[in-house]
Amino acid sequence: MSRPLRVAVIGAGPAGIYAADILTKSEQPVSIDLFERLPAPYGLVRYGVAPDHPRIKQIIHALRRVLEKPEVRFIGNVDYGVDLKLDELREHYDAVIFSTGATADRALDIPGIELTGSYGAADFVSWYDGHPDVSREWPLTARSVAVIGAGNVALDVARILAKTADELLTTEIPDNVYQGLAASPVTDVHVFGRRGPAQAKFTPLELRELDHSPNVEVIVYPEDIEFDEGSMAAIRESNQVKTIVKVLQDWAMREPGTRTRRLHLHFLHRPVEITGSTEVEGLRTERMELDGTGNVVGTGELHDWDVQAVYRAVGYLSSPLAEMPFDHTTGTVPHQAGRVLDLDEQHLPGVYVTGWIKRGPVGLIGHTKGDALETINSLLADIDGVDLPERPDEAAILRLLADRGVDFTDWSCWNRLDEHEIGLGTAAGRERIKVVDRDEMLSVGKGD
């Protein structure tokens, strides 16, 4: 090969950055452009991790080191399918890797889901993380709230709703979010899982964290602590499941305390209807029972819960990409070891996927490293021994964007924005307050 391999990565979150990192560490000389729809990098770590999780947000330091490599160029505020088409990317690059993640809420098909006061967790997470595409306002008027789901996102949503705003003052919480939470009248947050404690998808660290707030009482109900043979097998086979079950059992046996807010964990309850005429007035669930395998069947016993808001945290879903095949059931791009497959199940030459758009929104952030490694191995195998064709020079793609009036950001723009945000946080006595308006982000980044 007479020149470096030129690669475009669409999506500058952890999945895309990990792919770039692996490429730079290979023996293949590379030149990588990381395109991001938002003006700022880091994706899920910046806009999907709760502000009271600074340990997870520290991943940004490792991601930053990758973006500072001379082989990598960050190009933000570029919307694939609008500002750039697939054919144009294939003209300028030898390979294109899509790592666009998942930002939409998976649907929950029950009556009343459309009522005012019924929300998707993804939208709420975007709000409290200061995403520039969502409103700065959120209607926090409910005294009692239901969260549907038994994974870490459900715990994040419940924890942020239940905590007092002042507990979050030392975090990266945006000021508008602090003001909204400070005015919230909430006293009770109920989390509902359809199956039993041994089937919960929490991680032990996330679960234990619920009990760290001095203002929130975590309540588990003894009648919900049930196990069948499938549950016992799961406990025997997984230390994580064993730990989660032990924590829940301990909480179920203790006497309720006197903290001013309560976070209730309910198991074996399936949501069947959100009640109300125009606004949420309650949640109806069906009591479930374990069937011996760890799965559940309905008992027909219904319970009505007096709540004024419902948040569904039943999973994220990726959105279709322009000019790309897409499986609407799984929310993924069809692929083989990261190689994108067309409708005839043939590899679309030079086009690859990694991260949640590849395997679905499951697992922790670090799990995307394995995805990226498989995809990069496929890419390198495909170009091994191949003479690379002539491509436009590296500045050509920037000229194309400029000619179209795309106000793209680069690494220096991001550094100015980052410094601005840190300065705001220092002035307010916090670590950082995010700039949430896209126009303001561009103005600060461009130095206007």
Side-chain angles (χ1 to χ4, degrees):
M1 294 182 182
S2 58
R3 62 170 175 80
L5 177 73
R6 297 192 57 207
V7 179
V9 179
I10 312 303
I17 297 176
Y18 287 145
D21 187 37
I22 294 169
L23 263 176
T24 61
K25 292 175 179 176
S26 70
E27 296 180 359
Q28 169 64 48
V30 292
S31 171
I32 304 166
D33 283 348
L34 267 161
F35 291 92
E36 170 57 47
R37 187 179 66 85
L38 297 174
Y42 307 133
L44 178 66
V45 182
R46 180 174 167 88
Y47 293 118
V49 175
D52 58 347
H53 276 171
R55 178 187 58 83
I56 300 176
K57 287 184 177 289
Q58 292 303 308
I59 295 172
I60 282 179
H61 296 307
L63 301 180
R64 184 184 183 93
R65 288 193 291 271
V66 178
L67 292 176
E68 289 176 336
K69 291 186 175 185
E71 307 98 320
V72 178
R73 183 167 63 174
F74 170 72
I75 307 173
N77 204 46
V78 176
D79 192 358
Y80 167 75
V82 177
D83 301 322
L84 285 175
K85 308 295 186 184
L86 181 58
D87 286 347
E88 293 166 338
L89 290 167
R90 296 174 79 183
E91 177 187 346
H92 285 76
Y93 300 93
D94 302 304
V96 182
I97 303 172
F98 287 90
S99 57
T100 49
T103 58
D105 284 291
R106 189 173 289 277
L108 180 63
D109 187 17
I110 60 174
I113 196 70
E114 77 290 343
L115 293 174
T116 299
S118 171
Y119 309 108
D123 291 335
F124 184 61
V125 171
S126 292
W127 175 73
Y128 67 58
D129 269 331
H131 196 292
D133 287 349
V134 302
S135 170
R136 296 181 185 226
E137 305 299 323
W138 190 273
L140 292 168
T141 58
R143 297 182 315 281
S144 185
V145 178
V147 180
I148 300 171
N152 283 344
V153 174
L155 293 190
D156 283 348
V157 169
R159 191 180 66 255
I160 294 297
L161 286 167
K163 276 186 172 182
T164 63
D166 284 351
E167 291 180 69
L168 301 170
L169 273 174
T170 59
T171 75
E172 293 186 345
I173 184 175
D175 188 61
N176 64 293
V177 177
Y178 170 79
Q179 298 297 336
L181 292 173
S184 170
V186 69
T187 58
D188 291 84
V189 178
H190 299 264
V191 180
F192 294 93
R194 184 176 60 88
R195 297 196 290 170
Q199 289 76 42
K201 300 301 181 183
F202 317 134
T203 54
L205 188 64
E206 289 267 2
L207 181 63
R208 289 194 184 105
E209 190 178 6
L210 295 181
D211 209 34
H212 293 170
S213 169
N215 301 299
V216 180
E217 198 71 42
V218 181
I219 300 172
V220 177
Y221 296 85
E223 61 268 26
D224 290 353
I225 305 298
E226 293 186 7
F227 308 101
D228 60 359
E229 182 50 42
S231 302
M232 298 307 297
I235 293 169
R236 290 192 296 268
E237 294 166 4
S238 169
N239 286 332
Q240 176 167 303
V241 174
K242 184 184 300 183
T243 300
I244 290 169
V245 166
K246 177 66 165 56
V247 171
L248 293 171
Q249 285 178 316
D250 289 346
W251 288 351
M253 289 187 293
R254 68 187 181 185
E255 292 294 323
T258 58
R259 294 170 184 170
T260 56
R261 298 185 178 188
R262 293 164 292 279
L263 198 161
H264 311 257
L265 297 177
H266 304 276
F267 299 95
L268 298 169
H269 281 274
R270 178 179 72 91
V272 296
E273 183 181 2
I274 299 173
T275 59
S277 54
T278 60
E279 298 181 349
V280 173
E281 297 176 6
L283 175 69
R284 181 166 297 147
T285 65
E286 180 185 12
R287 182 69 181 184
M288 311 300 284
E289 62 182 10
L290 294 160
D291 67 358
T293 69
N295 291 311
V296 290
V297 295
T299 66
E301 179 185 342
L302 299 178
H303 295 257
D304 286 322
W305 307 87
D306 181 20
V307 299
Q308 300 84 49
V310 175
Y311 292 76
R312 65 184 184 279
V314 294
Y316 286 171
L317 196 65
S318 295
S319 300
L321 294 164
E323 305 176 273
M324 291 279 285
F326 192 74
D327 185 328
H328 289 269
T329 301
T330 62
T332 60
V333 170
H335 71 93
Q336 185 178 53
R339 298 178 177 95
V340 172
L341 301 178
D342 62 19
L343 296 178
D344 297 321
E345 297 191 345
Q346 299 299 309
H347 177 210
L348 197 60
V351 185
Y352 304 84
V353 286
T354 190
W356 282 1
I357 193 67
K358 172 185 176 183
R359 64 179 169 87
V362 293
L364 304 177
I365 290 173
H367 292 161
T368 57
K369 288 183 179 180
D371 282 337
L373 180 60
E374 179 186 61
T375 295
I376 297 307
N377 284 340
S378 293
L379 189 161
L380 293 175
D382 291 343
I383 59 96
D384 185 34
V386 174
D387 290 328
L388 297 178
E390 290 296 322
R391 300 285 181 192
D393 66 81
E394 293 187 1
I397 196 73
L398 302 183
R399 291 195 296 270
L400 176 63
L401 292 170
D403 289 344
R404 289 180 175 170
V406 178
D407 196 10
F408 61 87
T409 59
D410 59 17
W411 188 241
S412 64
C413 293
W414 160 243
N415 283 325
R416 282 194 292 272
L417 174 60
D418 194 37
E419 290 171 4
H420 178 70
E421 290 182 338
I422 292 173
L424 287 176
T426 301
R430 308 187 203 171
E431 293 180 9
R432 179 180 300 174
I433 302 175
K434 290 190 180 73
V435 179
V436 297
D437 180 81
R438 183 188 287 265
D439 290 339
E440 187 176 357
M441 293 176 77
L442 290 172
S443 175
V444 172
K446 295 288 186 179
D448 296 338

